[in-house]
Amino acid sequence: MAEADPAQKLAAQKTTPVVAPRKWRRTAALIAVPLIIAAIAGYLWLTSGRFVSTDNAYVQQDKVAVSADVAGRIVDVAVKENQRVKAGDLLFRIDPAPYRIAVDQANAAIAAAQVNVATLQSSYRGTSADITAAQDRIAAAQQDFDRQTALMKQGFTTRARLEQAEHGLEQARAALANASASADEARAKLATGAAVPGQSPAIAAARVQREKAQLDLTRTAVFAPTSGTISQADRLQIGQMMISGLPAVSIVASQRAWIEANFKETDLDKMRVGQPATVSFDAYGNLTLKGHVQSIGAGTGSEFSVLPAQNATGNWVKVTQRVPVRIAIDEASPRQLIAGLSAKVTVDVRNHGKRSFGARGTAPLCCPGLT
């Protein structure tokens, strides 16, 4: 192949464009980087102190421990773990047979008391007849004594007959006293007290016993006191003996939730009740809810611990304390808020000079709607 003519090479070089170095890109980078750094520094300077946040926060919900008011063996379980229940739903049932027997015994006690009252009334009526008879005997004995006294004065009777008539009169009077005492006793047994006027105390006591037995019978069925989610249902086993007052199952009342955020004591200087807050959750990465500071704790977490820290020692190390702050959630959550979920709370403290709170964390007078 023949070599190209030098003249042709020179012409080709002249037609190829020469690319100039783009120095403007370097210049723009040198200018932009300091501007970006200055903008970030300015933003941080302007927003510093506007927000305080903590990730030591957890979802809290009302938890109701349900126990049985009566003891007995469990014969029916109507719920299972994590089941949703409404207030009034049956949770479990205790064997009602012993309490039905107690109701029957109370009914029998009422019947016995009624029979006893009827007997006392009959006895009281009998004592009334005894009093009348005793009064008649006294009248007859008095006539006999008067007659014997008159005859004795005339000498037509003996001293023995007079003494016999006198003794008969004394016996008649004693019989009247006994009959009166028996009548008073029967009347006292039939009397009613001020607490239950018009009703025999024995019958009233038996009826109270029946009401107690009936109440215990109704309490063998245990119902949900509030709506929520069943927890710790594994304690409910058919055949297990239930002790009165012992927590048997828990209900998490999920209709109301709040956040318990533990802020450092150094973050409380500008924090006030009512300040807006945002809450994010570790479990739901894209979920953020609005809320506000509802109350500030009256003591640090260590103050209410089982073994409070004792700093009166030779080797003392200062530890930043945590104060529980209750954050109310102001909007409905599209996801279920589970008790104990970890959360991050950020509080806007820019308006710290406009609100104030008392020693108990109550709402300011300017904002009566906050609690």
Side-chain angles (χ1 to χ4, degrees):
M1 183 176 180
E3 294 184 358
D5 189 358
Q8 294 178 353
K9 291 182 179 180
L10 182 58
Q13 291 177 358
K14 291 181 178 180
T15 56
T16 302
V18 179
V19 180
R22 299 182 177 180
K23 295 183 178 180
W24 61 272
R25 292 184 177 179
R26 183 178 180 182
T27 303
L30 293 175
I31 296 174
V33 171
L35 289 177
I36 293 174
I37 295 175
I40 294 175
Y43 175 79
L44 294 176
W45 181 80
L46 291 174
T47 59
S48 61
R50 291 175 52 185
F51 302 94
V52 292
S53 63
T54 181
D55 56 1
N56 187 354
Y58 306 93
V59 177
Q60 297 293 333
Q61 294 174 329
D62 291 330
K63 295 176 282 291
V64 181
V66 182
S67 59
D69 293 327
V70 295
R73 192 177 303 277
I74 297 177
V75 295
D76 183 25
V77 178
V79 294
K80 56 185 179 181
E81 188 73 11
N82 298 326
Q83 178 181 337
R84 293 281 302 172
V85 295
K86 296 180 180 179
D89 288 350
L90 177 66
L91 300 179
F92 61 94
R93 194 184 302 274
I94 295 175
D95 186 7
Y99 299 97
R100 291 198 184 101
I101 295 174
V103 173
D104 294 339
Q105 288 177 338
N107 289 328
I110 292 176
Q114 291 173 341
V115 171
N116 187 32
V117 169
T119 302
L120 291 174
Q121 290 175 345
S122 177
S123 176
Y124 177 69
R125 288 192 295 268
T127 57
S128 299
D130 293 341
I131 290 175
T132 302
Q135 290 174 346
D136 293 338
R137 285 195 295 271
I138 288 177
Q142 184 67 46
Q143 291 178 359
D144 185 36
F145 177 74
D146 294 340
R147 184 171 57 254
Q148 292 298 326
T149 302
L151 292 175
M152 186 66 184
K153 291 178 179 180
Q154 296 175 4
F156 294 109
T157 186
T158 62
R159 174 66 62 180
R161 294 287 302 273
L162 179 61
E163 291 177 354
Q164 184 179 2
E166 184 179 5
H167 181 66
L169 178 60
E170 291 176 355
Q171 286 184 333
R173 289 174 178 172
L176 177 61
N178 291 334
S180 299
S182 299
D184 292 339
E185 181 181 0
R187 188 184 303 108
K189 291 181 179 179
L190 291 173
T192 60
V196 282
Q199 187 176 11
S200 170
I203 296 178
R207 287 177 176 173
V208 170
Q209 182 182 357
R210 181 178 63 180
E211 291 177 1
K212 175 64 169 56
Q214 290 175 339
L215 179 61
D216 290 342
L217 179 60
T218 59
R219 286 177 173 176
T220 57
V222 181
F223 300 94
T226 184
S227 301
T229 303
I230 294 295
S231 180
Q232 299 176 326
D234 53 347
R235 301 176 184 175
L236 301 178
Q237 301 293 334
I238 295 179
Q240 179 179 349
M241 287 297 298
M242 180 57 60
I243 301 176
S244 175
L246 182 68
V249 67
S250 298
I251 299 178
V252 180
S254 55
Q255 69 271 17
R256 188 171 69 92
W258 68 92
I259 306 298
E260 183 176 331
N262 300 300
F263 282 91
K264 295 180 180 179
E265 57 183 329
T266 54
D267 294 334
L268 299 182
D269 183 33
K270 298 180 181 180
M271 187 176 295
R272 302 291 185 270
V273 171
Q275 290 173 335
T278 57
V279 183
S280 59
F281 304 89
D282 294 357
Y284 311 126
N286 298 324
L287 178 61
T288 301
L289 299 179
K290 296 180 180 179
H292 68 273
V293 178
Q294 187 176 21
S295 62
I296 299 177
T300 63
S302 62
E303 191 69 16
F304 295 101
S305 61
V306 178
L307 297 175
Q310 297 294 329
N311 295 325
T313 59
N315 299 325
W316 174 70
V317 178
K318 185 175 183 179
V319 178
T320 302
Q321 300 296 315
R322 295 274 181 169
V323 178
V325 177
R326 184 165 179 153
I327 305 298
I329 300 176
D330 296 335
E331 57 182 334
S333 174
R335 304 293 299 273
Q336 181 182 2
L337 297 182
I338 303 173
L341 286 182
S342 299
K344 181 179 180 180
V345 176
T346 301
V347 178
D348 186 351
V349 296
R350 288 176 296 179
N351 58 349
H352 65 275
K354 299 179 181 179
R355 301 173 187 264
S356 61
F357 62 94
R360 296 184 180 180
T362 55
L365 296 177
C366 63
C367 307
L370 300 175
T371 58

